[in-house]
DNA sequence: TTTCTTTTGCAACTATGTTGCTTTTTTATA
DNA sequence: TATAAAAAAGCAACATAGTTGCAAAAGAAA
């Protein structure tokens, strides 16, 4: 990786942590780096594998929980019951996620993507039901795998 | 329970198993009964608690897996990463689920419902992506809890 | 009833997630 | 930059969830 790029990413990471009044620690930096170097979402298992050699499992759990609490990442429910995490857009903040986008799981490459431009549709519910949150997960074949 | 009703339910259970060429065993009968006596979906934990005193944990896992494979029940992904199971409509069959309905999780009573009449919407995906399955899970307050 | 097939229970194991407590690191401030 | 207070990390121990192989039991077929 060119030196310039890694400086930029390091700054971005430090800023992100400061903005959320989190202290800057090795594990937080490392895990954020994984997200920033990546297009799609990461399963907990991936993160543990890729950060866990250097950090304790418990630290990975606590770091991800902190990030979710602060609105830095959000979770994506999937059919196979393995939580995925993805970076939030900047509008998210502590206790206030704004993730009204659709998620896509590719059944070929198994990657998960946030389709930030695809807004979750209005769902007309039966009388008596009221909605707080709508989660849409589409399974199919992604851009790369369709070629 | 009136004797008549339980005869009916027993017959229904036996028929369901026969139709799917599954042998009729105590655990399968018991677990199907749980589903038939119930409006909403059941979490694995619930089933284990309510059937597990009589049956081994492993049997519960295997029975549910068999039911999913045969298209007797379907799974519902939820945000809290605890798989829920619900009975399929009759159109489902082995290797061929037809569950194009929306699921609803009540954040008050924590029940999960299949909204069989609410069809999953068409999602317009970005160029290159193709959909095979769309999962919609709405979180909110249910009919009962809204009163 | 007997035989063959399927399912169950058990034991042992892996994976996933949590908690309390001590040590280490980070931050704030003198 | 040294020091003290606060926060986070690591460790151990535990709890829960899910899987696998195999022998015993139950079900289906004849
Ligand atoms: Mn997302
Ligand atoms: Mn359903
Ligand atoms: Zn793909
Ligand atoms: Zn409710």
């Amino acid at each position: 990786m060119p030196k310039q790029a890694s400086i930029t990413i390091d700054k971005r990471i430090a800023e992100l942590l400061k903005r959320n009044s989190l202290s800057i620690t090795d594990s937080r930096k490392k895990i954020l780096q994984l997200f920033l170097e990546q297009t799609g979402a990461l399963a907990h298992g991936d993160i543990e594998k890729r950060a866990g050699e250097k950090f304790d499992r418990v630290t990975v759990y606590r770091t991800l929980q902190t990030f979710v609490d602060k609105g830095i990442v959000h979770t994506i429910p999937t059919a196979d019951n393995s939580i995925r995490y993805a970076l939030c857009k900047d509008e998210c903040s502590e206790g206030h996620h704004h993730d009204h986008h659709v998620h896509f799981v590719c059944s070929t490459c198994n990657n998960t993507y946030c389709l930030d431009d695809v807004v979750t549709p209005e769902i007309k519910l039966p009388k008596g039901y009221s909605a707080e949150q709508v989660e849409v997960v589409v399974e199919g074949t992604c851009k790369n795998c369709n070629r």
Side-chain angles (χ1 to χ4, degrees), chain A:
Chain A
M1 195 189 301
K3 202 176 173 191
Q4 192 55 43
S6 72
I7 287 175
T8 313
I9 220 172
D10 284 359
K11 272 204 169 172
R12 209 177 144 193
I13 287 169
E15 241 176 30
L16 195 51
L17 291 172
K18 268 187 198 148
R19 177 151 31 102
N20 288 281
S21 33
L22 290 175
S23 41
I24 296 169
T25 68
D26 289 350
S27 70
R28 287 174 181 168
K29 282 192 284 188
K30 174 66 182 174
I31 291 176
L32 275 184
Q33 200 186 356
L34 292 179
F35 280 110
L36 290 165
E37 289 171 352
Q38 168 94 12
T39 345
L42 290 166
H44 183 101
D46 299 334
I47 300 166
E48 205 176 303
K49 257 176 237 130
R50 289 162 69 181
E53 287 174 23
K54 209 160 165 298
F55 304 103
D56 192 81
R57 276 174 4 97
V58 178
T59 301
V60 175
Y61 278 106
R62 292 200 266 226
T63 302
L64 287 168
Q65 189 53 57
T66 301
F67 287 172
V68 171
D69 291 346
K70 288 288 184 176
I72 297 172
V73 304
H74 61 279
T75 57
I76 305 168
T78 57
D80 71 335
N81 214 34
S82 72
I83 307 183
R84 314 268 168 130
Y85 297 85
L87 272 185
C88 289
K89 294 260 153 173
D90 291 343
E91 308 92 62
C92 289
S93 59
E94 190 160 359
H96 202 166
H97 281 273
H98 292 276
D99 286 301
H100 301 309
H101 58 269
V102 167
H103 291 111
F104 189 93
V105 180
C106 177
S107 45
T108 304
C109 66
N110 204 34
N111 276 120
T112 302
Y113 304 95
C114 293
L115 302 181
D116 292 300
D117 300 328
V118 183
V119 175
T120 55
E122 284 278 320
I123 305 287
K124 185 146 173 46
L125 295 170
K127 225 180 153 84
Y129 292 84
S130 55
E132 280 149 28
Q133 170 76 17
V134 179
E135 284 284 354
V136 178
V137 179
V138 180
E139 202 208 294
T141 312
C142 79
K143 216 171 173 168
N144 292 331
C145 295
N146 255 332
R147 277 188 296 190

